[in-house]
Amino acid sequence: MSPATLTIDLGAIAHNTAVMKRVAGEAKLMCVVKADAYNHGAQRVIPAMEDAGADAFGVATLAEAARIRQLTDKPVLAWIWQPGEEIPEGIEVGVPGLEHLRWLVNHNVKCPVHLIVDTGLNRSGIDEEDWPQAFDLATASGLEVRGLMSHFACADEPTHPYNQVQRDAFQRAITLARAHGLEVPVNHLANSPGTLTGPENAFGMVRPGIALYGLNPVEGTGADATAGAGAELQPAMTLSAGLTAVKRISKGEGASYSLTWTAPEDGWTAIVPMGYADGIPRAWQDHIEVTIGGRRYPQVGRVCMDQFIVWLGADRAGINVGDQAVIFGGGGMSAAELARRVGTIHYEVMCAPGGRVVREYVDKQESHEATV
């Protein structure tokens, strides 16, 4: 048993999926479950999403897609791959460039495809000057083209003018594809913020990720940017650990490597058994506040490989070995607040816990454990 636990609320996952399904309106809902469902554990998360209305699942790599294919009968789409890779049976693929499209055609690969068109993110996708060639090749080859896909650059800023630039470009691509003989029945541009901020972003399918796990991607008012439907989202992940020591320390004494922190008065420290081997980077030190018994306490000194120190102050307040310290999630700092403190985004905070951390799944009926 590990003293550190990543608790995943499957009820929250189901709730968030239902929220996004409702917001999507008539558009289909593709749930993005890459990176093991954003570190929530795809094996347990996917059934909850299916029950709540998921129409399809999206991942990054073909290896991920093959694993997800074993967990669901819904369509599974992967969009990061190289020509020459074996396409797993039953997988749909995003086509990010002309080279990929030519390889599929030349090798007579029979799988449904979604042509990725670059509408301005300039990351991957077929450039606009190549759209006619790509659409002609797809039409002539008889490839089963399910639709077009692209990705917003600034959807987390709903009023950013570039969102309209990309919507216009995506509509041009759809119109041109149909003029070149492709039906492209299901097209998708909207990520989580795009889905939450306007029906004009939906087209035929939406492709949210972070919102399904309960974190709002749209900046607004309040600690977690609870604007619009994002206010209904319920964070599904809590990271906590049981204290392994509670110790006295005298004023002026240092603690942890290099003694970079010294006690400001006689008092108490507590030891949290997590470190950078478990997904608490050294760069987070001096920014973390853990919650013990409903009260926040600052992390002090260097974060070590296996543990870090918390300053309890002059009053031990009845804290004992075994008490739970919440690093982020239910009852503690949100992942969004921690992200702001350490200068990153909540996506990265959620993906950080690993190593010896143990996942625990909870719902109204039961809880289970599995190693991360």
Side-chain angles (χ1 to χ4, degrees), residues 108-124:
N108 197 31
V109 177
K110 299 296 185 183
C111 67
V113 301
H114 301 237
L115 301 178
I116 305 174
V117 292
D118 190 348
T119 56
L121 184 61
N122 289 310
R123 187 173 65 180
S124 65

Side-chain angles (χ1 to χ4, degrees), residues 24-210:
E26 296 183 1
K28 293 182 180 297
L29 176 65
M30 176 178 287
C31 294
V32 178
V33 291
K34 62 185 180 180
D36 201 16
Y38 287 48
N39 203 25
H40 289 67
Q43 186 170 359
R44 297 298 303 276
V45 162
I46 283 176
M49 290 179 172
E50 283 192 327
D51 290 345
D55 296 301
F57 294 96
V59 295
T61 69
L62 296 178
E64 289 179 314
R67 290 192 292 271
I68 301 305
R69 175 77 285 159
Q70 303 304 310
L71 303 175
T72 179
D73 293 326
K74 303 284 187 182
V76 178
L77 171 69
W79 49 76
I80 296 179
W81 56 284
Q82 295 179 355
E85 285 192 70
E86 182 178 354
I87 308 295
E89 186 176 354
I91 299 302
E92 301 182 6
V93 297
V95 182
L98 277 175
E99 300 89 343
H100 300 74
L101 180 59
R102 292 191 187 104
W103 183 84
L104 291 171
V105 171
N106 291 339
H107 290 80
N108 197 31
V109 177
K110 299 296 185 183
C111 67
V113 301
H114 301 237
L115 301 178
I116 305 174
V117 292
D118 190 348
T119 56
L121 184 61
N122 289 310
R123 187 173 65 180
S124 65
I126 301 166
D127 294 329
E128 185 161 2
E129 58 265 31
D130 295 325
W131 291 353
Q133 182 181 354
F135 298 156
D136 280 342
L137 180 57
T139 300
S141 68
L143 275 175
E144 182 184 354
V145 179
R146 291 281 171 88
L148 307 183
M149 62 183 289
S150 192
H151 199 70
F152 276 120
C154 304
D156 55 344
E157 303 173 61
T159 61
H160 199 294
Y162 205 59
N163 295 324
Q164 187 60 52
V165 170
Q166 288 195 267
R167 280 192 295 268
D168 291 344
F170 195 55
Q171 186 58 63
R172 284 199 305 276
I174 294 170
T175 300
L176 185 63
R178 289 172 177 163
H180 282 252
L182 297 174
E183 293 184 11
V184 288
V186 182
N187 305 293
H188 41 110
L189 170 65
N191 50 6
S192 286
T195 304
L196 288 168
T197 55
E200 67 274 15
N201 299 326
F203 292 89
M205 180 182 280
V206 295
R207 204 175 60 241
I210 194 78

